[in-house]
């Protein structure tokens, strides 16, 4: 579930880059940065969750 969320956020961040380049809109740049940061946070949470599961099963 977290990996799917991370994928969606990453795709949305990439989709924000196209209008930022075409229209030169600063808002899309900030949106892309925010979505990429959110995907990074989801990745960190996912790794910590996986590490906790591995330690509890060992």
């Amino acid at each position: 579930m977290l990996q799917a969320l991370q994928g969606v956020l990453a795709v949305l961040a990439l989709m924000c880059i196209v209008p930022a380049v075409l229209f030169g809109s600063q808002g899309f740049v900030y949106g892309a940065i925010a979505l990429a940061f959110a995907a990074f946070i989801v990745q960190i949470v996912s790794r910590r969750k996986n590490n906790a599961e591995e330690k509890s099963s060992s």
Side-chain angles (χ1 to χ4, degrees), residues 1 5 7 10-11 16 18-19 26 30 35-38 45 47 56-58:
M1 174 88 171
L5 178 61
V11 168
C16 284
V18 174
Q26 199 70 12
Y30 293 139
L35 288 168
F37 184 70
V45 170
R47 283 184 183 174
S56 66
S57 65
S58 295

Side-chain angles (χ1 to χ4, degrees), residues 9-10 12-14 30-42:
L9 290 170
L12 288 174
L14 290 174
Y30 293 139
I33 292 169
L35 288 168
F37 184 70
F40 179 69
I41 297 298
V42 169

Side-chain angles (χ1 to χ4, degrees), residues 29-56:
V29 173
Y30 293 139
I33 292 169
L35 288 168
F37 184 70
F40 179 69
I41 297 298
V42 169
Q43 182 180 13
I44 290 172
V45 170
S46 177
R47 283 184 183 174
R48 287 188 180 180
K49 184 177 178 183
N50 287 342
N51 287 342
E53 289 175 357
E54 288 176 4
K55 286 181 181 179
S56 66

